[in-house]
């Protein structure tokens, strides 16, 4: 977080967002530059074929990575493995990087439940 005259001018999470974006680029994904979204943190898009995954890093004492999958439109399109594959590959990169620890994955419905989260991003 960067403050000037007692006012927050840049919220935390930029370095984490840039590290995650760099990991995804290293995995071959097309990734936009993380952009400051004020109190929400930093967000960026990941393009996977014709699909898009939105990611946002927020600093809430712990860093939170929120994601949302936007598949391309197709009338007869089958469900894709693109999203779980991307998250699984990212999880491997995060686990291998000493800057990241205590990684846990939760579905949105579980965030306020007190559930401990999973070690794998696609576990139910």
């Amino acid at each position: 977080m960067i403050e000037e005259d007692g006012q927050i001018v840049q919220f935390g999470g930029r370095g984490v967002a840039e590290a995650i974006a760099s990991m995804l680029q290293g995995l071959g994904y097309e990734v936009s530059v993380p952009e400051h979204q004020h109190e929400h943190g930093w967000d960026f898009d990941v393009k996977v074929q014709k699909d898009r995954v939105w990611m946002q890093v927020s600093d809430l004492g712990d860093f939170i990575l929120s994601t949302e999958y936007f598949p391309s439109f197709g009338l007869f399109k089958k469900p894709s493995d693109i999203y779980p594959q991307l998250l699984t590959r990212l999880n491997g990169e995060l686990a291998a990087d000493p800057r990241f620890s205590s990684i846990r994955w939760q579905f949105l419905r579980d965030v306020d439940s007190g559930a401990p989260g999973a070690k794998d991003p696609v576990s139910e």
Side-chain angles (χ1 to χ4, degrees), residues 9-101:
V9 294
Q10 181 175 298
F11 286 80
R14 179 180 183 180
V16 174
E18 288 174 345
I20 292 170
S22 179
M23 288 174 183
L24 290 166
Q25 287 172 329
L27 291 170
Y29 296 106
E30 183 181 334
V31 183
S32 66
V33 175
E35 294 185 17
H36 187 226
Q37 301 301 327
H38 306 282
E39 67 273 7
H40 299 286
W42 296 81
D43 74 0
F44 55 94
D45 289 321
V46 182
K47 289 189 180 176
V48 187
Q49 297 171 17
K50 293 182 179 181
D51 298 350
R52 178 174 69 90
V53 177
W54 168 84
M55 296 192 169
Q56 178 175 283
V57 174
S58 303
D59 182 356
L60 302 176
D62 288 329
F63 290 101
I64 307 296
L65 173 64
S66 303
T67 67
E68 189 168 352
Y69 176 57
F70 295 94
S72 60
F73 179 75
L75 288 177
F76 302 105
K77 189 173 179 182
K78 295 179 185 178
S80 173
D81 291 333
I82 287 174
Y83 187 50
Q85 287 173 355
L86 179 142
L87 294 179
T88 299
R89 293 180 75 198
L90 175 58
N91 186 53
E93 292 293 308
L94 291 169
D97 191 314
R99 296 175 292 181
F100 297 92
S101 61

